[in-house]
Amino acid sequence: MSADTSAPVTPAVSMDSIVALAKRRGFIFQSSEIYGGLNGFFDYGPLGSELKKNIRDCWWNDMVRRRDDIVGIETSIIMHPKVWEASGHVAGFSDPLVDCKVSKQRYRADQLFFAPVVVTGADGVAQTAGYVSALESENTAGELQSAAESFKRKKALQGTLAPVVVKDFTEATPAEIVLIPSPATGNPGDLTPPRAFNMMFQTNVGAMTDASSVAYLRPETAQGMFVDFKNVVDTGRVKLPFGIAQIGKSFRNEITPRNFIFRSREFEQMEMEYFIHEDADWSQCHQEWIEWCRQWLISVGLPESKLTLYAHKKEKLAFYSKGTTDIMFEYPFGVQELWGIAARGNYDLGQHATASGKPQEIFDEATKKKFVPHVIEPAVGVDRILLAVLCAGYAEEDVTDDKGNVEKRTVLRLSPRIAPVKVAVLPLLKNKEQLVGRARDLYKKLQRRYAVFYDDGGNIGKRYRRQDEIGTPWCVTIDFDTIEKPGDTFTLRERDSMAQRRITEAELFALLEERVY
Ligand code: GAP
């Protein structure tokens, strides 16, 4: 067998290479691509849907099946519109929207930044000569500073330019709004003041399309757990503390969907509401769930070094929230929220009790009193995890084979837990009946339990490369030693180390049992 010997990793991963791989190998496509695509919507191809399903299954197994205190449910996407009034989404689920009146471009005000251009003249007097603006990026301050320098040059201003003081558009005063240039036209006076834009998608239920039939596509799965709380308590044999979990699609009419699948308009959430006693130590429970989520992300292959915690500032929390911590991931476009873990008090159950007139209480045997439980909510997007594992796993390397030839390999280091294909079965030659027969036999056996791939096309090195690129952790090659020597062994080739060793069928199944769970 030809062996690969060295693999220096090229560290920088660009989003362009991730998007290109996702398209080339059938992970993710733009939705409705043949019609030009629809911004903020994506399709998952054969490998992408397997990868997504594996992420969902790992979460469900670890969060629901392998715990005694959490049950799963699946609620409808369209719920009674009163749910969204009670939850506060009708009144408050909005982002601040800014229009450019000339270009018709729309921006989220908190993602549009500006700075005054302040120049100090020879007389020592600092004056604001104008404003510059830029959209949020990895280096917004740097971009604004360059824009301020170019502003000074173009206007031939004399004096010293002060370092820019960056603010977002929600902080702009009415006097500043008319002076800040639109990023689209470059002209001041083209931007409107920010206004609240509700992100829920509306639809109508039934034959009438008037106000009485308005309904919403859910913007989060969480409300399903609150609205069904009593049903689960009455039927599920659950006792506090306990959780209700759900995986499902959510929809948000995001003003600026971006960064590929990071922020889209249709996405999938995995949320769990963990109900605790009103007197329980919510802070300790919150911390435990933060750590559980962090460990879970590591268990599906995210490097610990790329995960950080961000505790929301007290003054920025919703009034009912006692604390929210986000697990952040270092994406190629910056460190961004991956998983939010919120302590929501008894706000949601309380709201639904008031709005529906149906108490959402639990009876405390110890105190003989009824109370509304409090909740800790870990909420994460499947698509964001999928993007994170693609970004963390992607590498381009130079490899040298045993003949000294150097070539490039693209490799996706996905955890065996979530890799779309677990094993590729490769007969060394496709026209040798004995090799093909043994390979087919092994393939069929593996297929009963695992996602496997059979490939008999091209030279063996090329076949390994194809599997490296889609993240297959192991290839087994059925070769002449398999059929000619005793022991019925195959060559097992590992994706990450590219090391090869001989393995029996029983050992292969044992390896899979241990690593794919
Ligand atoms: N029930 C609470 C809730 O929905 P959130 O922070 O709005 O909280 C939770 O959303 C998670 O859902 C986020 O941490 C993120 O992983 C994912 N998410 C939210 N909006 C998203 C979007 N537009 N596209 C993809 N994922 C999104």
Side-chain angles (χ1 to χ4, degrees):
M1 304 262 75
S2 82
D4 309 299
T5 52
S6 65
V9 177
T10 320
V13 176
S14 73
M15 274 310 287
D16 286 349
S17 29
I18 302 289
V19 175
L21 174 87
K23 162 100 181 153
R24 184 169 74 244
R25 298 310 310 264
F27 282 91
I28 303 162
F29 312 119
Q30 179 79 58
S31 160
S32 324
E33 197 182 275
I34 58 168
Y35 292 102
L38 187 59
N39 197 8
F41 296 89
F42 293 91
D43 295 341
Y44 286 85
L47 290 173
S49 49
E50 276 290 338
L51 177 57
K52 203 167 177 219
K53 181 183 178 328
N54 293 342
I55 294 171
R56 271 193 232 114
D57 288 351
C58 280
W59 187 90
W60 190 264
N61 285 337
D62 293 338
M63 183 64 97
V64 180
R65 291 193 176 160
R66 293 175 182 146
R67 293 186 65 113
D68 299 329
D69 56 347
I70 298 181
V71 293
I73 59 170
E74 194 174 313
T75 66
S76 63
I77 286 175
I78 296 179
M79 301 167 80
H80 198 293
K82 284 194 174 151
V83 169
W84 306 109
E85 284 169 25
S87 67
H89 284 81
V90 171
F93 192 61
S94 52
D95 272 343
L97 171 72
V98 179
D99 287 293
C100 171
K101 291 174 277 186
V102 177
S103 70
K104 306 296 173 209
Q105 292 283 328
R106 297 184 138 184
Y107 307 102
R108 242 176 78 172
D110 55 349
Q111 293 171 355
L112 174 55
F113 291 84
F114 72 96
V117 181
V118 179
V119 180
T120 307
D123 53 5
V125 178
Q127 280 195 323
T128 298
Y131 285 80
V132 286
S133 64
L135 295 177
E136 185 179 42
S137 71
E138 274 168 68
N139 184 20
T140 315
E143 281 181 30
L144 284 170
Q145 189 65 45
S146 314
E149 280 158 19
S150 126
F151 181 98
K152 180 174 172 262
R153 259 195 321 277
K154 275 195 202 138
K155 303 262 173 191
L157 301 173
Q158 300 301 312
T160 316
L161 181 69
V164 289
V165 176
V166 180
K167 287 186 181 171
D168 78 47
F169 205 78
T170 59
E171 300 169 285
T173 62
E176 286 176 322
I177 285 173
V178 292
L179 299 173
I180 297 169
S182 157
T185 63
N187 297 325
D190 290 350
L191 295 173
T192 63
R195 64 188 161 89
F197 171 78
N198 193 298
M199 288 195 290
M200 282 198 293
F201 279 102
Q202 265 192 33
T203 185
N204 293 85
V205 174
M208 304 295 287
T209 51
D210 57 16
S212 70
S213 65
V214 166
Y216 305 95
L217 303 192
R218 67 179 174 202
E220 62 172 22
T221 60
Q223 295 305 320
M225 276 78 96
F226 296 124
V227 169
D228 271 345
F229 172 73
K230 267 295 191 187
N231 281 334
V232 173
V233 169
D234 294 344
T235 59
R237 296 174 60 204
V238 286
K239 274 210 321 246
L240 284 184
F242 73 89
I244 311 180
Q246 162 157 233
I247 300 179
K249 290 263 179 150
S250 292
F251 302 82
R252 296 182 189 178
N253 198 1
E254 298 280 357
I255 298 168
T256 48
R258 59 188 182 151
N259 290 328
F260 198 30
I261 53 169
F262 177 81
R263 180 174 292 119
S264 49
R265 289 177 166 142
E266 174 177 337
F267 55 99
E268 204 161 348
Q269 287 186 307
M270 307 196 287
E271 296 196 280
M272 194 276 294
E273 308 300 326
Y274 199 71
F275 298 98
I276 55 177
H277 196 286
E278 60 176 351
D279 298 330
D281 184 346
W282 68 266
S283 175
Q284 190 194 332
C285 186
H286 189 218
Q287 289 307 317
E288 283 167 10
W289 275 110
I290 295 167
E291 188 51 19
W292 189 95
C293 297
R294 213 178 64 85
Q295 290 301 334
W296 189 85
L297 290 171
I298 295 168
S299 85
V300 293
L302 291 185
E304 197 169 354
S305 59
K306 285 186 182 284
L307 299 171
T308 46
L309 298 182
Y310 171 75
H312 288 233
K313 294 198 173 65
K314 285 259 175 309
E315 59 275 16
K316 294 233 167 172
L317 292 174
F319 69 91
Y320 54 82
S321 175
K322 296 175 164 216
T324 298
T325 295
D326 293 336
I327 302 180
M328 313 290 282
F329 178 76
E330 192 189 318
Y331 290 96
F333 45 84
V335 174
Q336 296 280 341
E337 174 189 339
L338 173 54
W339 200 329
I341 301 104
R344 299 177 64 100
N346 60 7
Y347 171 77
D348 300 271
L349 287 182
Q351 287 290 105
H352 290 303
T354 310
S356 67
K358 312 256 166 33
Q360 302 294 313
E361 296 163 329
I362 279 208
F363 183 70
D364 185 343
E365 292 289 348
T367 61
K368 306 289 177 213
K369 269 184 15 202
K370 286 183 178 172
F371 66 94
V372 180
H374 287 222
V375 78
I376 305 291
E377 176 197 71
V380 68
V382 184
D383 315 76
R384 277 197 194 175
I385 297 176
L386 195 143
L387 182 58
V389 296
L390 288 182
C391 295
Y394 184 94
E396 288 169 19
E397 305 175 342
D398 285 337
V399 283
T400 313
D401 68 17
D402 50 7
K403 296 187 190 82
N405 303 317
V406 179
E407 61 163 324
K408 282 245 173 295
R409 83 158 178 161
T410 300
V411 58
L412 207 48
R413 292 199 166 87
L414 298 177
S415 155
R417 294 193 78 194
I418 58 168
V421 176
K422 310 299 181 199
V423 183
V425 179
L426 319 173
L428 187 61
L429 300 173
K430 71 170 166 194
N431 52 5
K432 195 87 188 151
E433 209 175 297
Q434 262 183 302
L435 293 176
V436 171
R438 185 66 187 94
R440 281 265 164 215
D441 174 60
L442 177 67
Y443 174 64
K444 284 280 159 210
K445 279 188 196 158
L446 286 166
Q447 214 177 26
R448 280 190 225 138
R449 305 234 341 242
Y450 302 103
V452 283
F453 192 82
Y454 185 88
D455 187 4
D456 60 10
N459 79 43
I460 202 77
K462 286 224 171 68
R463 282 186 264 170
Y464 287 157
R465 294 285 173 273
R466 287 202 286 266
Q467 296 305 317
D468 287 344
E469 213 186 31
I470 62 167
T472 307
W474 300 286
C475 291
V476 282
T477 302
I478 288 62
D479 48 27
F480 288 105
D481 281 1
T482 314
I483 51 174
E484 288 169 359
K485 289 197 176 157
D488 188 32
T489 60
F490 324 111
T491 298
L492 179 87
R493 188 262 192 184
E494 287 174 356
R495 175 197 64 203
D496 298 350
S497 64
M498 295 181 289
Q500 300 185 8
R501 64 188 163 99
R502 299 211 67 83
I503 193 169
T504 63
E505 188 177 298
E507 286 164 346
L508 177 63
F509 273 93
L511 173 73
L512 288 167
E513 175 68 24
E514 187 199 322
R515 303 286 304 279
V516 181
Y517 59 95

